[in-house]
Amino acid sequence: MDRQPAELDRFRALLQGYMDKKGLRSTDQRKLIVETFFHADNHVSIEELLAQVRAHDPRVGYATVYRTLKLLAECGVANERRFGDGLTRYELADDGATHHDHLICVECHTITEFEEPRIEDLQEKVARKYGFELRSHKHELYGVCAACQKVRRTGN
Amino acid sequence: MDRQPAELDRFRALLQGYMDKKGLRSTDQRKLIVETFFHADNHVSIEELLAQVRAHDPRVGYATVYRTLKLLAECGVANERRFGDGLTRYELADDGATHHDHLICVECHTITEFEEPRIEDLQEKVARKYGFELRSHKHELYGVCAACQKVRRTGN
DNA sequence: CTAAGTGCAAAAAGTTTGCATTCCG
DNA sequence: CGGAATGCAAACTTTTTGCACTTAG
């Protein structure tokens, strides 16, 4: 996944600020896990991330990966996501201005992101109608992606 | 949860048809679990449902409840739902014409249902735009419900 | 130094499965 | 009767935790 260095710097600063404030320490493992996460595909599962981390340093324990990702989620750098498959995945947080949601292919499990401001607006209306103070949301569309439909038509 | 008897009859017929087709049997446990589910609050967790079932017959095993709920989901009578709390919950399926989604209070964990056809329309547009054949979706709004906001303001 | 972090293995928590037994049709 | 269903316990999967050891600040 290609990311703009500036975007990552913003997240590095956010994490650093949070760690300073809480008196948390910067260890080699944490740096490795965080940078691996930054350069991994979006929506990596913990298992996938652990494998990539261990390619650089096989001694990293999986508890450390769990703990580091929880930390990233806490400080707003990452979001925890659970799509249908029983795995927890993490994605880089949004930049504040935009928000994206997901299309998930039920056949090949590909995850595509989409943005639709009009849906976001309607959501806020719904929340207001119920006197609900909106904090976050999850909007996932499940179906068959274009590629899988094609495969199905052509018999492969 | 108050439900119309006619609605439940439709689901009983749906289940019966599925069981007939598959050569499945109607046992006392299954009947008890299904009827308990029909008359329980919507979005019951398996644990809650098991407790209610055991109030009538303490010998029912939890594997049977799991298996029966999977069956209900398979035949379209129930939907499996996982909100943030790590529990699997089941709700009665929609009636085909309407579809509802959820507002979830992050403080008291109350689940409220909402319907917004305009969002459903926009969803379909998004799906079309990506050449995606839509099968189902999940739309959950997380925030603080009116009651919890009030508690917070009045200090209790 | 000393409190935070790590790695490991054990513990949790939720769900699924294997198997002998029961019982529907 | 024969195959489905049940109940139990054991197995599994994913995540969390306790603890002795290490290390950043």
Side-chain angles (χ1 to χ4, degrees):
Chain A
M1 178 135 290
D2 295 332
R3 301 191 208 285
Q4 300 82 354
E7 188 191 5
L8 293 184
D9 278 341
R10 192 179 73 84
F11 284 122
R12 288 190 186 96
L14 189 53
L15 172 61
Q16 193 56 56
Y18 185 82
M19 289 178 61
D20 289 350
K21 197 177 62 188
K22 292 258 185 174
L24 305 181
R25 294 169 183 174
S26 183
T27 64
D28 288 347
Q29 292 91 327
R30 242 174 221 180
K31 286 183 233 165
L32 174 59
I33 294 166
V34 170
E35 290 303 319
T36 304
F37 172 66
F38 281 166
H39 295 92
D41 283 351
N42 216 354
H43 313 116
V44 266
S45 66
I46 293 184
E47 189 170 64
E48 287 161 0
L49 189 62
L50 177 62
Q52 292 175 38
V53 166
R54 282 191 169 161
H56 288 263
D57 182 349
R59 289 164 310 166
V60 174
Y62 59 107
T64 304
V65 175
Y66 273 97
R67 290 187 273 229
T68 302
L69 287 172
K70 284 254 172 285
L71 170 64
L72 291 181
E74 256 172 59
C75 70
V77 167
N79 292 134
E80 230 176 80
R81 292 277 166 191
R82 263 175 279 263
F83 301 115
D85 58 5
L87 290 177
T88 300
R89 297 170 181 279
Y90 284 83
E91 66 178 8
L92 213 56
D94 287 304
D95 65 10
T98 66
H99 176 81
H100 71 268
D101 285 293
H102 303 93
L103 285 152
I104 298 127
C105 178
V106 297
E107 296 199 347
C108 67
H109 304 105
T110 298
I111 300 166
T112 308
E113 300 178 356
F114 73 88
E115 276 175 43
E116 180 45 83
R118 286 173 294 173
I119 290 180
E120 309 278 321
D121 288 348
L122 285 168
Q123 266 179 183
E124 304 213 355
K125 275 194 189 145
V126 169
R128 262 199 301 280
K129 177 172 156 191
Y130 287 90
F132 208 81
E133 185 186 307
L134 202 53
R135 288 280 179 78
S136 66
H137 69 268
K138 212 171 272 184
H139 196 174
E140 295 154 18
L141 308 186
Y142 294 86
V144 185
C145 72
C148 287
Q149 287 174 52
K150 196 173 210 166
V151 166
R152 197 190 279 166
R153 275 197 306 276
T154 61
N156 207 350
Chain B
M1 178 137 289
D2 295 331
R3 301 192 206 284
Q4 299 84 352
E7 189 192 5
L8 293 184
D9 278 341
R10 193 179 70 84
F11 285 123
R12 288 192 186 95
L14 190 53
L15 172 61
Q16 193 56 57
Y18 184 82
M19 288 179 58
D20 289 350
K21 198 177 62 189
K22 292 260 184 171
L24 305 182
R25 294 171 183 174
S26 183
T27 64
D28 288 345
Q29 291 92 328
R30 239 174 222 181
K31 286 183 232 165
L32 173 59
I33 295 166
V34 170
E35 289 303 318
T36 304
F37 172 66
F38 281 165
H39 295 93
D41 283 350
N42 216 354
H43 314 115
V44 268
S45 67
I46 292 184
E47 191 169 64
E48 287 161 358
L49 189 63
L50 177 61
Q52 292 175 36
V53 166
R54 284 191 169 161
H56 288 262
D57 182 350
R59 288 165 310 167
V60 174
Y62 59 106
T64 305
V65 175
Y66 275 96
R67 289 187 274 228
T68 302
L69 287 171
K70 285 252 171 288
L71 169 64
L72 291 182
E74 256 172 60
C75 70
V77 167
N79 291 134
E80 226 175 84
R81 292 276 167 192
R82 262 175 280 260
F83 301 115
D85 59 4
L87 290 177
T88 300
R89 296 171 180 280
Y90 284 83
E91 66 177 8
L92 212 56
D94 286 305
D95 66 10
T98 67
H99 177 81
H100 72 266
D101 285 294
H102 302 94
L103 285 152
I104 297 127
C105 179
V106 296
E107 298 199 345
C108 67
H109 303 104
T110 298
I111 300 165
T112 307
E113 301 179 355
F114 72 88
E115 278 177 40
E116 181 44 85
R118 285 173 295 174
I119 291 180
E120 310 278 320
D121 289 349
L122 285 167
Q123 266 179 185
E124 302 213 355
K125 276 194 186 143
V126 169
R128 263 200 300 281
K129 177 172 156 191
Y130 288 89
F132 206 82
E133 185 186 307
L134 201 54
R135 288 279 180 77
S136 67
H137 71 269
K138 206 174 279 185
H139 196 174
E140 295 155 16
L141 308 186
Y142 293 87
V144 185
C145 73
C148 286
Q149 287 174 51
K150 196 173 211 169
V151 166
R152 197 190 278 167
R153 275 197 305 276
T154 61
N156 210 351

